[in-house]
Amino acid sequence: MFVQARQDDEDCLFIAKIDNVKNINSIIKALNFSQEAVCFCSKDGLKVTVEIAKCVQASAFIQLDIFQEYSYNDEEQLIFKVDFHTLVECLNMFEASGMNATVDMRIQGPGQPLLLMLEEDGVILDSSIKTQDPGEIADFSFEDDCVINKVILRSEFLKEILDEMDSTSEFIGIELSDNSPFFRFFMSSRLGECDFRVDKSSDMIEFFDCKVRTAFRYRLEHLKHTVKAIGVSQKVSMRMDENGLLCFQCMMKMDDGQICFVEFFCIQATNDDGGLAVIEPADEYTLPDPF
């Protein structure tokens, strides 16, 4: 990170300005579990994506309404990679002091540094972050017709479940059924067993659609990365496809009332031999053997 002269507006491919650093910072912090982030700039807004070993991926979608000024002067989107910890550190500079700074982000073009300027009451932090070629990014998206199960639930309920899960367990199981108990989280470890069951009529659930009875398991260390985003969101949409690909879409409300989304994808866990760790739904709904 180093200071560099600002580029004139007409010389920049991408310019975005926001008058409250807290709005963008709360979104970015939810993704802060990877060293690097890939940024996608387009006329529709800004997307920031992080991933770990092609197994878990998170993206923040910052729509045009979040910004006070936004300009992107190309038909094709601009994609680049940055050091994510450096970006987070820059955005944290003023928030840590309690100051409400404005943020100006801009980039001249491919291969050029990302320029950040934070300002509050005449105090200016002017930084430049090196950009790199994005490399290969896993495509975890799936179309609506591939979704076999979908649940929309209140965020505090899901966060409570993940917080209470035994951290010594390697896996967490998620079962969905059109019959009781409908929605179940379960895990087993050397310390014991956990089993959370929720009826689809519960106040915690706003929408429940189960087309196929399924039970998949996921690595707990991967799902733990979702806790920050879930903790600052109001509701979560959980979707699954037939291959066990899991998606959490967290709806977050900013201080000014604007809405944005952070989306997590996680593949189901594999056995030691590389096979998929599919759990057959239990007819009696008893806990499976320890993972």
Side-chain angles (χ1 to χ4, degrees), residues 57 96 104 169 184 266 285:
Q57 183 185 91
D104 181 307
S169 179
R184 186 168 74 114
C266 184
Y285 293 100

Side-chain angles (χ1 to χ4, degrees), residues 60-225:
F61 301 89
I62 309 174
Q63 294 98 327
L64 297 180
D65 292 343
I66 301 294
F67 300 97
Q68 278 61 58
E69 294 183 40
Y70 189 94
S71 174
Y72 184 72
N73 301 313
D74 201 347
E75 294 301 322
E76 299 294 328
Q77 65 179 350
L78 173 65
I79 308 175
F80 57 88
K81 182 167 61 179
V82 296
D83 185 290
F84 196 45
H85 294 337
T86 300
L87 177 61
V88 172
E89 182 182 345
C90 289
L91 294 174
N92 275 335
M93 288 290 188
F94 280 106
E95 187 176 10
S97 64
M99 303 176 72
N100 184 21
T102 61
V103 183
D104 181 307
M105 297 182 291
R106 59 183 64 199
I107 187 169
Q108 193 172 12
Q112 299 298 310
L114 173 65
L115 304 179
L116 284 179
M117 184 176 71
L118 286 79
E119 180 177 5
E120 174 66 21
D121 293 335
V123 180
I124 298 175
L125 172 68
D126 201 355
S127 305
S128 175
I129 303 175
K130 180 181 178 182
T131 64
Q132 304 175 52
D133 183 86
E136 184 180 349
I137 303 297
D139 182 9
F140 285 131
S141 61
F142 44 68
E143 302 297 330
D144 288 342
D145 57 1
C146 296
V147 176
I148 57 173
N149 294 323
K150 180 178 180 179
V151 181
I152 300 176
L153 62 159
R154 289 165 51 184
S155 299
E156 63 266 29
F157 166 66
L158 184 56
K159 183 177 184 298
E160 179 182 351
I161 290 177
L162 295 176
D163 282 342
E164 292 188 8
M165 286 296 179
D166 180 2
S167 60
T168 65
S169 179
E170 187 176 359
F171 303 103
I172 178 173
I174 302 177
E175 182 173 356
L176 287 166
S177 173
D178 198 37
N179 299 308
S180 181
F182 301 108
F183 192 18
R184 186 168 74 114
F185 291 82
F186 53 95
M187 66 188 306
S188 181
S189 73
R190 60 179 179 275
L191 298 181
E193 299 173 342
C194 294
D195 185 11
F196 294 87
R197 305 183 183 203
V198 187
D199 192 277
K200 66 179 181 180
S201 62
S202 167
D203 292 340
M204 295 294 181
I205 295 181
E206 295 188 7
F207 177 85
F208 187 93
D209 181 28
C210 179
K211 297 182 176 68
V212 180
R213 185 181 176 190
T214 57
F216 298 105
R217 68 175 180 178
Y218 305 88
R219 294 195 178 277
L220 185 59
E221 63 177 314
H222 291 162
L223 291 191
K224 283 290 187 181
H225 293 309

Side-chain angles (χ1 to χ4, degrees), residues 212-245:
V212 180
R213 185 181 176 190
T214 57
F216 298 105
R217 68 175 180 178
Y218 305 88
R219 294 195 178 277
L220 185 59
E221 63 177 314
H222 291 162
L223 291 191
K224 283 290 187 181
H225 293 309
T226 68
V227 171
K228 286 183 181 178
I230 292 172
V232 295
S233 66
Q234 283 66 51
K235 62 178 67 176
V236 178
S237 171
M238 189 189 83
R239 296 174 292 161
M240 286 182 180
D241 72 4
E242 60 184 4
N243 297 314
L245 179 62

Side-chain angles (χ1 to χ4, degrees), residues 256-269:
D256 59 3
Q258 296 288 348
I259 301 295
C260 68
F261 296 91
V262 176
E263 192 170 64
F264 290 84
F265 285 95
C266 184
I267 64 172
Q268 65 164 306

Side-chain angles (χ1 to χ4, degrees), residues 3-105:
V3 176
Q4 178 169 310
R6 307 293 295 171
Q7 300 292 332
D8 293 333
D9 287 2
E10 59 269 20
D11 295 330
C12 294
L13 177 62
F14 164 73
I15 299 174
K17 300 179 182 180
I18 189 168
D19 61 10
N20 187 349
V21 67
K22 291 182 180 179
N23 281 345
I24 191 170
N25 211 8
S26 60
I27 304 170
I28 296 299
K29 281 182 178 179
L31 308 183
N32 192 18
F33 59 84
S34 178
Q35 179 66 43
E36 297 175 326
V38 176
C39 300
F40 301 78
C41 306
S42 72
K43 291 185 176 181
D44 296 323
L46 175 66
K47 182 174 80 167
V48 181
T49 297
V50 299
E51 65 179 26
I52 296 179
K54 311 295 184 187
C55 294
V56 58
Q57 183 185 91
S59 295
F61 301 89
I62 309 174
Q63 294 98 327
L64 297 180
D65 292 343
I66 301 294
F67 300 97
Q68 278 61 58
E69 294 183 40
Y70 189 94
S71 174
Y72 184 72
N73 301 313
D74 201 347
E75 294 301 322
E76 299 294 328
Q77 65 179 350
L78 173 65
I79 308 175
F80 57 88
K81 182 167 61 179
V82 296
D83 185 290
F84 196 45
H85 294 337
T86 300
L87 177 61
V88 172
E89 182 182 345
C90 289
L91 294 174
N92 275 335
M93 288 290 188
F94 280 106
E95 187 176 10
S97 64
M99 303 176 72
N100 184 21
T102 61
V103 183
D104 181 307
M105 297 182 291

